[in-house]
Amino acid sequence: MSERSGPLADDPFGGRHPTSHERLWGRPWDASYHDGPPPWDTGRPQPAIVRLASAGGFTGAVLDSGCGTGENALHVASLGLSVLGIDVAETALAIARAKADDRGVKVEFAAADALQLERLGRRFETVLDCGLFHTFDGDERPRYAASLASVTEHDGTLYVWCFSDDGPDTGPHPISQEELRAAFTLSTGWNVSRLEAGRLDDDGAPAWFATIKRI
Ligand SMILES: C[S@@+](CC[C@H](N)C(=O)[O-])C[C@H]1O[C@@H](n2cnc3c(N)ncnc32)[C@H](O)[C@@H]1O
């Protein structure tokens, strides 16, 4: 969990190394949430995640990695599961906590770096990544896969929703099938058990919906 007191309190990156996305953009992720909802924040859970949850895709303790303002985490928690949403954007987390209070949903939101999840000291049966993986560059992806592996129970499930390079009108940071598979290999403790092509928000940019088992 991040420390927000002392000399790091004035550091917009909270003492962590800025991600490749932040270095490119020149601002911390938190700034995306300063002037109203960012483009990906539709104010409702992803339809595909709602369907997955209805089909029993979430079990045990659940981690939402890069939860933003928490719509997906809130939906899964509203079904009675124990959910922790983590993000580096404190503004997004504050909005997520306010929604949980308003809706009376029991869910936990915490500031944490997805590249250092082992610092949580916790393990999860189901892990969700909706829109975070594709923001990491080729150098960060192996670190992210290892970080996710450190908190996922053996035989647990990781769901990754990311932009794909498959087709016209691709989103930012499109990922090829090969890049996705290369990040989650048997040698790194993962097995991609299912990879479906679809669209974010059902009619948005092309996306991969990956189901990845922790071995
Ligand atoms: C494209 S948004 C998706 C947010 C949310 N999952 C959704 O579907 O609305 C990516 C999120 O990942 C967060 N993020 C980026 N880098 C992160 C990191 N290293 N650790 C934790 N969260 C991170 C951002 O702050 C942002 O909220």
Side-chain angles (χ1 to χ4, degrees):
M1 311 267 170
S2 74
E3 290 289 336
R4 303 297 298 172
S5 59
L8 297 183
D10 293 333
D11 176 358
F13 298 101
R16 67 185 166 80
H17 191 62
T19 68
S20 57
H21 175 94
E22 290 170 317
R23 292 196 301 276
L24 260 180
W25 192 42
R27 300 170 77 194
W29 271 102
D30 196 64
S32 326
Y33 294 96
H34 289 178
D35 304 313
W40 59 82
D41 191 347
T42 58
R44 58 183 173 78
Q46 280 291 321
I49 291 171
V50 174
R51 289 193 290 274
L52 178 63
S54 306
F58 292 87
T59 54
V62 177
L63 174 69
D64 183 357
S65 178
C67 62
T69 68
E71 288 297 341
N72 297 316
L74 284 158
H75 177 72
V76 176
S78 74
L79 303 176
L81 285 119
S82 158
V83 181
L84 169 66
I86 65 101
D87 206 287
V88 289
E90 299 272 8
T91 305
L93 292 168
I95 296 168
R97 290 187 193 109
K99 287 186 203 175
D101 281 351
D102 284 353
R103 299 178 196 177
V105 177
K106 190 169 167 284
V107 56
E108 202 184 342
F109 291 108
D113 184 355
L115 295 171
Q116 304 186 81
L117 291 169
E118 63 284 353
R119 292 184 172 188
L120 292 174
R122 289 165 65 167
R123 294 182 81 80
F124 303 87
E125 205 172 295
T126 313
V127 179
L128 171 65
D129 172 326
C130 180
L132 174 55
F133 173 78
H134 60 217
T135 74
F136 291 132
D137 70 11
D139 287 342
E140 290 164 325
R141 282 179 217 140
R143 229 176 352 126
Y144 185 42
S147 173
L148 289 166
S150 74
V151 292
T152 309
E153 299 280 10
H154 288 282
D155 208 33
T157 306
L158 164 68
Y159 298 110
V160 175
W161 273 254
C162 66
F163 286 132
S164 95
D165 65 347
D166 185 14
D169 305 321
T170 53
H173 309 294
I175 297 283
S176 69
Q177 176 169 173
E178 293 71 30
E179 287 172 316
L180 182 53
R181 287 186 183 280
F184 298 101
T185 58
L186 294 179
S187 63
T188 59
W190 296 104
N191 180 33
V192 178
S193 63
R194 196 168 173 173
L195 189 58
E196 295 165 74
R199 289 181 176 275
L200 244 74
D201 279 318
D202 281 354
D203 57 2
W208 297 121
F209 302 133
T211 304
I212 305 169
K213 294 298 287 184
R214 177 80 171 95
I215 52 175

